[in-house]
Amino acid sequence: MNEHLPVTRTKSATEARTSTSVVADSELVITLGPGTWDVHIWLAFAGTATANSGIVGRWGLSSGLSLSGFRMVQGPAAGSSGATSISMRSSVNSATTSIEYGAGTGFGAIEEWAVVVVPSSGTVTYEWGKAAAGANAQVGVGSYVHAHRIA
């Protein structure tokens, strides 16, 4: 295996969740070997056309993995509920900080990225659930987690 080839996992089908529990996505998980990795997560997601109907997401890092700096996030701010009321959030956070993104009935997009230090090997997983209100939340087909080794 060439350790410098990128690693990518793509969501094969849209998944809906009706629970506010933030749990691992079985498809959005990558295994990384030793080194320093630039990790990027892109999600297509949707909720309902009510405030706080989006998703809450965070990263799960296996034992020993750490971020070099912070996890950067960009997407619709909590409380955004439609095409005419979108406020964007752009912030820095720890890997495990839960971030809420607002949503309308159509799919929006979220981007998150960070540099991950891997001493031996381990996994990075995207974990998510629905926000406190709204009928459900969805993460769409084609969403992905991608990493390439930088050192």
Side-chain angles (χ1 to χ4, degrees), residues 23-110:
V23 297
D25 188 297
S26 63
E27 291 187 289
L28 297 177
V29 57
I30 54 173
T31 301
L32 303 175
T36 303
W37 294 80
D38 181 10
V39 179
H40 179 251
I41 296 174
W42 183 87
L43 299 174
F45 80 107
T48 57
T50 58
N52 303 316
S53 70
I55 69 169
V56 175
R58 65 180 179 229
W59 291 18
L61 303 178
S62 60
S63 180
L65 274 64
S66 62
L67 298 187
S68 176
F70 292 99
R71 168 179 139 230
M72 283 73 71
V73 304
Q74 183 168 327
S80 296
S81 60
T84 60
S85 62
I86 297 294
S87 296
M88 294 296 285
R89 82 173 308 134
S90 182
S91 60
V92 295
N93 306 273
S94 73
T96 58
T97 299
S98 292
I99 304 297
E100 182 180 339
Y101 297 98
T105 55
F107 278 89
I110 299 167

Side-chain angles (χ1 to χ4, degrees), residues 15-18 46-48 53-55 128-131 134-139:
E15 179 180 353
R17 292 191 178 167
T18 57
T48 57
S53 70
I55 69 169
W128 64 280
K130 76 173 188 115
N136 65 29
Q138 303 174 71
V139 169

Side-chain angles (χ1 to χ4, degrees), residues 3-5 32-39 65-69 114-120 147-151:
E3 64 186 24
H4 294 285
L5 290 176
L32 303 175
T36 303
W37 294 80
D38 181 10
V39 179
L65 274 64
S66 62
L67 298 187
S68 176
V115 173
V116 178
V117 179
V118 183
S120 57
H148 67 270
R149 189 169 181 257
I150 56 176

